[in-house]
Amino acid sequence: MAREWESVIGLEIHCQLDTKTKVWCGCSSDYDNSPENTHTCPICLGHPGALPKLNKKVLDYAIKAGFALNCDINKESKFDRKNYFYPDTPKNYQITQFDHPYAEGGHIDIKLSNGDDKRIGVTRIHIEEDAGKSIHAGEESFINFNRASMPLIEIVSEPDMRNSEEAYRYLNLVKDALKYTKISDVSMELGSLRCDANISVMQKGAKEFGTRVEVKNLNSFKGVARAIDYEISRQIEEIENGGEINQETRLWDEESQVTRVMRSKEEAMDYRFFPEPDLVRIVITDEQLERLEGEMPESKIAKIARFVTDYKISENDAETLSNSIELADYFEKTVASSNNSKLSCNWILTEVLRVLKDNNKTIEEFSINSEELGEIIKLIDKGAISSKIAKKLFEIKLNDERSPIKIVEDEKMAQVADTSEIEKMVVEVVANNPKLVEDYKVADEGRKPRVIKGLMGQVMKASKGKANPKMVMDILTEKLS
């Protein structure tokens, strides 16, 4: 009988904090597109005698991350030196937190595709510094230290995940939670969010985990899922063929879709941690915790629930609107302007998101502000323009500085709601379409609505889309009865 296997997965997520300066010095963190090694100083380069000092904003942001991931915040913690030599680590050690991190014992609740809920534990979060960057060009290598000592938090999960779907959903929710706090842009593409996956397999029901393999530097959500799936299959195949799993670090080869050995246990670093002598212990006061807790935004999960309750929209729509805090804000401001939550939701999810996607823009870059979109929706709601004309108005407004009301006036787009004018158009359409009229008269009750819609379309066409649809339908029905 074939053996059944179970996989065990834990994730380590590195998140770069969006502070203006680095973690220990005053060097600007805004180094993108700057010449190499221009955002450096004796402190971040680790020159002898240079002393680090913790950036207070880093601690504030780190505590917010702890709140967002439901962690306990330790009132006291400390920094340590993790000793190793890489060319991109100028000090030959990394300042991190080893045995006394500032945050522990959190969790994230995920919902699986089968509808089940699952809680994934967050073991700890600690503060540490980033390394520089190695650049390899042909047979030469260069180092850029602009990134050295950029502030990071490392979020270490419990080994609670059992497949790539759970890991993918956990990673997404951690990203959402951090993004809502605005402590980081959490961009995997820009390297401000990075992930390592620890993966092992064991026979189903076994109590001891199998030998763990670490896959490092995964830089896309899909890459994380694919690397996990590959590694689970590789380990099972290796064991079933009589081999053993070696404790090693591997890299994900995106092009070949395989993991490759980076270093084995024998080659693993002996980091030799010891307390950092140049930094005092971190002490967090009750007042600091209270202040930061007061600055925490509404979480995405709470926002979705509120949208469903307050605005009477579906959970799926609320979730899409809450995918970014900026889009959620745009929606709420549009509703405040239009006073119609359902129509505002529909317009944002269809027309607004379509334009953003086509032009690869964010809601912050969108040319129609929430008050203007609310104005368009209000015009529809009070019958001043038809839905068809509203779409035309929306397209004009994308590149027009005039207000929606001004455009409607200037372009004579207002809906025709004059009974005598609509009646005149209806009479003309009825006279010009005797076959459709006859068809309507002999049709059964099930078919009548389809036939009358054809006649209504003729009237709307004659009015260039400006006739009030309800009035057209009422007058048509009366004329055909």
Side-chain angles (χ1 to χ4, degrees):
M1 182 179 169
R3 290 183 287 183
E4 287 190 76
W5 296 95
E6 189 171 12
S7 53
V8 179
I9 301 155
L11 296 185
E12 296 172 7
I13 301 170
H14 283 93
C15 173
Q16 193 178 86
L17 302 177
D18 193 15
T19 54
K20 291 183 178 173
T21 55
K22 295 185 178 181
V23 60
W24 316 122
C25 62
C27 286
S28 169
S29 60
D30 185 19
Y31 57 78
D32 283 340
N33 305 315
S34 297
E36 290 80 4
N37 298 309
T38 53
H39 290 242
T40 59
C41 72
I43 296 174
C44 57
L45 291 177
H47 287 186
L51 294 175
K53 183 179 177 185
L54 178 62
N55 180 341
K56 287 182 181 175
K57 190 61 86 178
V58 169
L59 183 57
D60 281 358
Y61 281 8
I63 292 172
K64 285 185 176 181
F67 284 147
L69 302 180
N70 306 299
C71 289
D72 297 323
I73 307 296
N74 295 324
K75 296 277 185 68
E76 285 197 31
S77 60
K78 70 179 180 68
F79 287 107
D80 303 273
R81 289 186 180 184
K82 182 180 179 182
N83 290 272
Y84 63 96
F85 174 72
Y86 278 156
D88 55 10
T89 308
K91 294 193 281 277
N92 285 354
Y93 60 84
Q94 178 191 34
I95 299 177
T96 181
Q97 294 190 292
F98 176 49
D99 52 352
H100 289 99
Y102 81 95
E104 296 177 281
H107 66 265
I108 286 284
D109 292 325
I110 62 173
K111 186 172 277 298
L112 303 175
S113 54
N114 62 7
D116 288 350
D117 296 315
K118 183 169 181 177
R119 175 161 290 186
I120 308 296
V122 174
T123 312
R124 55 183 279 160
I125 312 177
H126 56 261
I127 301 168
E128 61 185 25
E129 62 182 335
D130 210 343
K133 258 189 175 179
S134 297
I135 302 159
H136 305 289
E139 294 183 352
E140 293 185 288
S141 291
F142 305 90
I143 305 292
N144 180 1
F145 287 123
N146 280 350
R147 199 180 66 179
S149 286
M150 282 291 291
L152 296 178
I153 51 172
E154 181 174 350
I155 302 156
V156 182
S157 82
E158 291 288 314
D160 288 342
M161 290 159 272
R162 293 292 175 268
N163 54 48
S164 60
E165 182 202 351
E166 293 180 11
Y168 184 85
R169 289 176 186 268
Y170 167 78
L171 185 55
N172 267 288
L173 287 181
V174 168
K175 179 183 175 182
D176 287 344
L178 297 177
K179 191 172 182 186
Y180 258 59
T181 63
K182 299 187 176 178
I183 63 170
S184 170
D185 63 15
V186 289
S187 167
M188 276 196 142
E189 292 74 21
L190 297 175
S192 41
L193 197 74
R194 287 166 263 160
C195 183
D196 303 335
N198 291 295
I199 306 155
S200 65
V201 297
M202 61 182 181
Q203 282 195 55
K204 202 157 191 175
K207 291 186 177 172
E208 286 191 19
F209 294 165
T211 303
R212 176 170 56 90
V213 168
E214 183 180 30
V215 182
K216 288 191 80 67
N217 295 335
L218 297 162
N219 56 12
S220 75
F221 283 64
K222 287 181 180 173
V224 172
R226 286 195 287 256
I228 288 171
D229 286 340
Y230 173 84
E231 191 56 27
I232 290 170
S233 299
R234 184 192 72 81
Q235 291 184 25
I236 292 172
E237 187 178 347
E238 183 73 28
I239 296 170
E240 290 192 331
N241 287 335
E244 290 184 351
I245 301 302
N246 299 317
Q247 187 175 332
E248 59 194 8
T249 302
R250 300 175 75 91
L251 288 175
W252 172 242
D253 183 334
E254 185 67 38
E255 191 174 333
S256 306
Q257 298 286 295
V258 297
T259 61
R260 300 189 190 282
V261 177
M262 181 182 173
R263 57 176 179 261
S264 66
K265 184 181 179 184
E266 289 71 28
E267 298 165 320
M269 297 280 184
D270 175 9
Y271 289 122
R272 294 179 293 118
F273 286 93
F274 62 84
E276 164 59 59
D278 293 334
L279 284 163
V280 296
R281 293 176 72 83
I282 297 175
V283 177
I284 301 170
T285 64
D286 289 336
E287 290 73 22
Q288 190 175 7
L289 287 178
E290 194 176 328
R291 171 177 61 82
L292 293 169
E293 202 163 13
E295 292 174 8
M296 288 294 288
E298 180 184 37
S299 73
K300 180 178 176 181
I301 291 169
K303 196 181 286 291
I304 292 169
R306 183 170 62 80
F307 279 9
V308 170
T309 302
D310 290 358
Y311 298 122
K312 314 295 180 204
I313 59 176
S314 73
E315 189 171 338
N316 280 341
D317 289 349
E319 187 169 356
T320 305
L321 290 168
S322 303
N323 275 338
S324 87
I325 197 166
E326 292 80 11
L327 185 64
D329 288 346
Y330 184 91
F331 166 66
E332 293 208 80
K333 286 177 183 170
T334 303
V335 175
S337 172
S338 69
N339 203 27
N340 187 326
S341 57
K342 185 63 182 166
L343 210 48
S344 299
C345 171
N346 291 344
W347 269 78
I348 293 172
L349 294 184
T350 53
E351 301 307 316
V352 175
L353 291 188
R354 172 183 61 79
V355 172
L356 295 182
K357 185 180 177 188
D358 289 349
N359 295 282
N360 196 26
K361 287 188 172 178
T362 64
I363 191 69
E364 300 99 299
E365 299 167 316
F366 187 49
S367 59
I368 301 178
N369 65 42
S370 54
E371 289 75 19
E372 291 168 334
L373 182 64
E375 202 175 300
I376 294 173
I377 292 167
K378 211 153 44 178
L379 288 168
I380 305 169
D381 220 14
K382 67 182 185 184
I385 56 173
S386 65
S387 296
K388 189 174 179 181
I389 291 294
K391 289 188 179 179
K392 190 176 172 186
L393 170 62
F394 178 82
E395 294 299 325
I396 294 172
K397 183 72 193 83
L398 287 172
N399 301 298
D400 198 311
E401 294 292 323
R402 292 174 293 171
S403 73
I405 289 175
K406 180 77 170 126
I407 295 172
V408 169
E409 287 172 358
D410 290 351
E411 308 298 325
K412 298 186 176 16
M413 299 169 85
Q415 192 163 251
V416 176
D418 181 288
T419 307
S420 61
E421 197 172 338
I422 293 176
E423 191 167 0
K424 189 178 167 189
M425 286 188 276
V426 169
V427 168
E428 198 169 321
V429 166
V430 167
N432 292 336
N433 292 274
K435 191 167 182 308
L436 269 177
V437 172
E438 187 57 30
D439 203 10
Y440 176 82
K441 286 180 178 173
V442 298
D444 58 32
E445 290 306 311
R447 193 162 168 272
K448 276 184 186 294
R450 293 205 300 274
V451 181
I452 202 168
K453 272 187 181 176
L455 289 163
M456 185 174 169
Q458 296 287 334
V459 179
M460 294 304 293
K461 188 177 175 184
S463 74
K464 297 181 180 171
K466 293 192 285 185
N468 182 306
K470 185 174 183 310
M471 291 178 70
V472 171
M473 182 60 84
D474 289 347
I475 294 171
L476 250 180
T477 306
E478 185 189 332
K479 294 289 177 194
L480 295 174
S481 61

